[in-house]
């Protein structure tokens, strides 16, 4: 059949290659196993959907083959295997994604049938002929288009609920930008934000999100739903020392209380304008606006920042949360982050809760607030009141 998925497995231990191949054949793949890394180029082609790659092989290791794939701008999904410790897998995974490759999973030997089967079944392949976002970016949208989108209200924040672990009650929502593009459909931040940065439109975009989000919160209030909103800040927002005053004015304009607003910043954002950021953040807190440190664990010099900046909340990055039930190291990071946050008097939010198992684990660990697809995906503002009625009461 022409539409079968194609898998290529490379492992110097032939029996492992054959095992992976057989599991894939059982699942309806077209599959080839090779055990000599030197023959990789002979078998690898752009129509391969999934490459299962052993990292440690004599002669040419998996990292070299990843480099080859990156050089060909491969869009294949990749599963990495290693007999070694999970640390090696993690660093190879990171290296691969920094080269634009798409690692969908990692396995340690011995590989169990069920584990591999589950992993293969869970892969969501990108649609054919629509490779990377990066490649699409070359075709669209232009600066004028983004400018027009801002003027024509094509940009719109979606809102993702955050709930208390203790009683499932609504804590607030996070505003996440979306672009309703007339030709390309709903575009996500991974496309919008790099474009806005490239064209120097990030300031405008941030102002737009803030305005629309505050307006939405005031409309919800008028309809009897009082809640908080968290807004993501960009590095350029910290160039203007007037930021606290500007936000304060907007808060009043929409009739909100400062305690209804949280600003999310990442460690990386702060590093770019450290002194100004400190000044601005201190004054924001003096105005009783909450500050949240986003994607905690992924940036620089975290501990020093935490000591200096009056954060009220810490968000554990979803890359750790999503792995916490299956990966010992991720679990250790999650546990320590919760302890640290609490010791510093902050609320701890876990983002990326995708299933009951992760909810239960984070809840047992004493995490305060949950955000993730398991609770709800980001949604247009008008849908929130109904979601609250259906899910929380
Ligand atoms: P973030 O602030 O860490 O936001 C959380 C991201 O995780 C959102 O992605 C959200 O949709 C996603 N997410 C939430 N729960 C789950 C889950 O259970 N599973 C998975 N796989 N993902 C989940 P989104 O909307 O694509 O936004 C990506 C990033 O773009 C945000 O990460 C934030 O850094 C940035 N961003 C979004 N909107 C804005 C904005 O208005 N201004 C600025 N400066 N940055 C924004
Ligand atoms: Mg955020
Ligand atoms: Mg985050």
């Amino acid at each position: 059949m022409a539409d079968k998925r194609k898998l290529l497995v490379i492992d110097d231990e032939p029996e492992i290659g054959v095992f992976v191949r057989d599991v894939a054949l059982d699942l309806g793949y077209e599959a080839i196993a090779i055990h000599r890394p030197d023959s990789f180029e002979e078998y690898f082609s752009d129509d391969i959907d999934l490459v299962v790659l052993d990292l440690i092989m004599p002669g040419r290791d998996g990292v070299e083959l990843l480099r080859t794939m990156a050089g060909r701008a491969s869009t294949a999904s990749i599963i990495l295997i290693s007999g070694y410790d999970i640390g090696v897998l993690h660093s190879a995974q990171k290296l691969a994604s920094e080269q634009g490759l798409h690692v969908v999973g990692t396995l340690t030997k011995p590989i169990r049938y069920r584990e591999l089967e589950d992993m293969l079944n869970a892969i969501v392949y990108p649609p054919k002929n629509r490779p990377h976002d990066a490649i699409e970016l070359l075709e669209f949208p232009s600066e004028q288009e983004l400018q027009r989108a801002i003027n024509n209200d094509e940009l719109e924040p979606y809102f993702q609920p955050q709930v208390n672990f203790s009683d499932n009650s609504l804590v607030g929502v996070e505003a996440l930008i979306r672009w309703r593009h007339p030709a390309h459909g709903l575009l996500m931040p991974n496309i919008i934000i790099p474009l806005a940065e490239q064209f120097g439109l990030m300031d405008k975009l941030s102002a737009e999100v803030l305005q629309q989000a505050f307006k939405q919160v005031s409309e919800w209030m008028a309809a009897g739903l009082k809640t908080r909103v968290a807004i993501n800040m960009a590095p350029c927002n910290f160039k203007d020392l007037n930021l606290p005053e500007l936000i304060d004015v907007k808060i009043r304009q929409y009739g909100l209380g400062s305690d209804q607003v949280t600003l999310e910043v990442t460690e990386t954002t702060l590093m770019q304008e450290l002194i100004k950021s400190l000044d601005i953040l201190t004054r924001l807190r003096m105005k009783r606006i909450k500050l949240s440190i986003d994607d905690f664990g992924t940036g620089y010099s975290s501990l020093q920042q935490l000591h200096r900046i009056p954060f009220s909340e810490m968000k554990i990055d979803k890359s750790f949360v999503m792995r916490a039930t299956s990966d010992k190291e991720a679990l250790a990071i999650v546990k320590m982050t919760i302890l640290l946050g609490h010791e510093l008097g902050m609320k701890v939010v876990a983002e990326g809760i995708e299933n009951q198992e992760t909810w239960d684990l984070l809840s047992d660990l004493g995490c305060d607030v949950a955000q993730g697809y398991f609770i709800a995906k980001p949604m247009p503002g008008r849908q929130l009141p109904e979601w609250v009625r259906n899910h929380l009461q």
Side-chain angles (χ1 to χ4, degrees):
M1 271 197 314
D3 59 352
K4 278 192 171 183
R5 293 283 174 198
K6 294 197 172 75
L7 173 145
L8 176 65
V9 48
I10 308 106
D11 195 308
D12 61 306
E13 294 176 68
E15 58 287 1
I16 296 198
V18 166
F19 168 74
V20 172
R21 184 196 64 195
D22 290 348
V23 174
L25 289 173
D26 286 351
L27 295 177
Y29 279 77
E30 214 169 86
I32 302 172
I34 57 176
H35 65 275
R36 285 210 321 269
D38 278 341
S39 48
F40 179 70
E41 276 83 357
E42 202 179 310
Y43 290 92
F44 178 71
S45 62
D46 290 337
D47 65 343
I48 300 234
D49 299 286
L50 177 62
V51 174
V52 181
L53 183 60
D54 186 15
L55 280 177
I56 323 270
M57 294 182 288
R60 264 175 108 192
D61 59 42
V63 174
E64 277 187 71
L65 299 190
L66 286 171
R67 205 185 303 133
T68 305
M69 289 179 70
R72 293 175 60 161
S74 171
T75 55
S77 299
I78 301 168
I79 293 177
L80 299 175
I81 314 179
S82 169
Y84 275 63
D85 64 318
I86 199 139
V88 172
L89 279 170
H90 283 172
S91 55
Q93 181 169 20
K94 190 138 188 287
L95 180 66
S97 60
E98 269 162 21
Q99 298 179 91
L101 296 171
H102 187 45
V103 178
V104 294
T106 57
L107 293 166
T108 40
K109 295 177 188 177
I111 303 169
R112 281 165 302 153
Y113 189 101
R114 264 305 293 277
E115 188 185 10
L116 179 58
E117 187 184 27
D118 288 348
M119 193 174 280
L120 293 183
N121 281 332
I123 299 175
V124 180
Y125 288 101
K128 292 259 186 210
N129 305 326
R130 279 187 81 247
H132 280 183
D133 298 338
I135 293 171
E136 290 183 22
L137 276 184
L138 297 177
E139 303 162 14
F140 77 94
S142 64
E143 179 174 357
Q144 289 75 19
E145 244 185 305
L146 181 58
Q147 182 72 61
R148 191 208 60 208
I150 296 176
N151 298 336
N152 290 0
D153 287 343
E154 283 172 28
L155 294 181
E156 164 187 346
Y158 272 34
F159 298 90
Q160 187 177 32
Q162 303 178 324
V163 299
N164 277 311
F165 274 107
S166 58
D167 60 1
N168 217 10
S169 58
L170 184 69
V171 175
V173 293
E174 177 175 6
L176 296 158
I177 184 84
R178 302 289 184 263
W179 178 355
R180 287 186 188 283
H181 192 284
H184 301 292
L186 197 66
L187 300 182
M188 305 295 281
N190 64 340
I191 295 192
I192 308 168
I193 290 179
L195 272 182
E197 277 170 353
Q198 186 189 337
F199 300 143
L201 289 169
M202 208 47 216
D203 256 336
K204 278 201 167 156
L205 184 144
S206 300
E208 187 64 27
V209 171
L210 195 86
Q211 174 109 357
Q212 288 197 42
F214 285 5
K215 181 159 177 269
Q216 182 62 74
V217 174
S218 71
E219 284 171 13
W220 287 327
M221 274 211 287
L225 174 63
K226 185 168 183 204
T227 194
R228 297 186 192 151
V229 69
I231 313 270
N232 290 287
M233 302 303 278
C236 66
N237 299 133
F238 293 98
K239 293 213 160 72
D240 182 0
L241 284 169
N242 270 328
L243 183 79
E245 288 68 34
L246 294 176
I247 292 185
D248 204 34
V249 167
K250 286 263 173 266
I251 288 179
R252 284 164 211 270
Q253 185 188 335
Y254 286 99
L256 314 184
S258 351
D259 61 345
Q260 282 176 281
V261 176
T262 303
L263 301 179
E264 294 192 2
V265 294
T266 66
E267 297 156 78
T268 318
T269 301
L270 295 181
M271 285 309 287
Q272 301 191 15
E273 291 279 353
L274 193 58
I275 304 292
K276 272 193 189 169
S277 302
L278 273 176
D279 180 314
I280 291 173
L281 294 173
T282 307
R283 283 183 299 123
L284 284 166
R285 282 302 284 145
M286 287 159 63
K287 293 186 186 301
R288 301 190 183 287
I289 292 167
K290 293 196 174 54
L291 298 177
S292 170
I293 183 145
D294 202 359
D295 300 346
F296 186 75
T298 63
Y300 306 101
S301 74
S302 338
L303 297 178
Q304 198 180 22
Q305 306 280 25
L306 285 179
H307 189 232
R308 289 203 270 230
I309 298 172
F311 289 108
S312 24
E313 174 187 285
M314 183 183 265
K315 294 185 83 171
I316 316 175
D317 191 63
K318 62 176 178 296
S319 61
F320 304 118
V321 173
M322 285 160 73
R323 294 199 200 115
T325 55
S326 60
D327 174 333
K328 269 199 327 220
E329 279 91 351
L331 176 61
I333 291 171
V334 167
K335 276 185 184 167
M336 290 310 296
T337 308
I338 295 173
L339 281 176
L340 179 64
H342 285 166
E343 282 295 313
L344 294 170
M346 301 182 208
K347 289 261 184 236
V348 182
V349 182
E351 61 174 32
I353 307 256
E354 289 195 343
N355 49 48
Q356 182 79 53
E357 202 187 350
T358 313
W359 169 287
D360 292 343
L361 173 67
L362 271 288
S363 176
D364 289 346
L365 292 174
C367 191
D368 305 290
V369 177
Q371 179 181 348
Y373 295 173
F374 181 61
I375 299 107
K377 289 197 168 173
M379 61 184 88
R382 62 181 180 285
Q383 289 177 11
L384 187 79
E386 190 185 342
W387 181 85
V388 171
R389 276 197 299 280
N390 292 339
H391 287 79
L392 300 178
Q393 282 150 15

